Amino acid sequence: MIAETVCSAASAAGLGIAAVTAYRKRFLAAARIAAYSLVPIGLVMTGVVEWAADTAFSVTAWAGFGVLGAAWLLFSGTRAVERRRGGTRKERKAARSAQREAVAPAASAPSLGPSTRPASRPAAAPRSGAADDFSDIEAILKKHGI
């Protein structure tokens, strides 16, 4: 009952301020103030204020909000832990098995399996094309006096 009275008084005061603003020839601002001032009385008429008042003073409603908060904390906590660990149980299991396969027990560097390249490279023989490339560059530098 008190909430409805307060909302009605707030709407009446807002409409009064809108009237004064319109008298000062600020019609756009007056229309906006009138719109805001009609919201509380509209909420009273639809029953939202009564529902909110009943919810605010209901122990069951606050217990429900507490349960929802606990559920949210549990959900966000488990998601944070899952992100730190690296995903779901299957992903962690696959990562552990991949890690065991990649590193030998006493190795100082990871062994990544058989290599496709030969172990030792033969000494690189100078290419004949490389000399041609340098001769072109030398010709260009000589042409510019460098």
Side-chain angles (χ1 to χ4, degrees):
M1 181 81 172
I2 263 187
E4 289 88 356
T5 306
V6 169
C7 287
S8 299
S11 290
L15 289 174
I17 293 170
V20 171
T21 306
Y23 179 77
R24 294 181 181 171
K25 307 255 189 245
R26 299 187 63 213
F27 298 110
L28 187 63
R32 192 173 300 127
I33 292 170
Y36 281 123
S37 66
L38 290 174
V39 169
I41 197 71
L43 291 175
V44 166
M45 293 173 84
T46 58
V48 172
V49 172
E50 184 180 343
W51 173 80
D54 289 344
T55 303
F57 298 114
S58 170
V59 176
T60 306
W62 283 108
F65 285 125
V67 168
L68 287 174
W72 181 80
L73 284 173
L74 284 171
F75 180 71
S76 61
T78 55
R79 291 288 295 162
V81 169
E82 188 176 68
R83 284 186 190 147
R84 276 184 165 245
R85 287 189 179 173
T88 62
R89 181 179 290 190
K90 289 181 182 178
E91 291 170 351
R92 288 191 305 268
K93 199 173 195 180
R96 272 191 238 124
S97 66
Q99 186 179 13
R100 278 189 226 122
E101 293 172 1
V103 179
S108 61
S111 58
L112 299 175
S115 177
T116 57
R117 290 189 250 159
S120 62
R121 292 186 180 172
R127 297 183 316 183
S128 61
D132 293 338
D133 290 341
F134 287 122
S135 64
D136 292 342
I137 294 172
E138 287 176 4
I140 292 170
L141 290 174
K142 285 181 185 176
K143 180 179 175 184
H144 290 288
I146 300 176

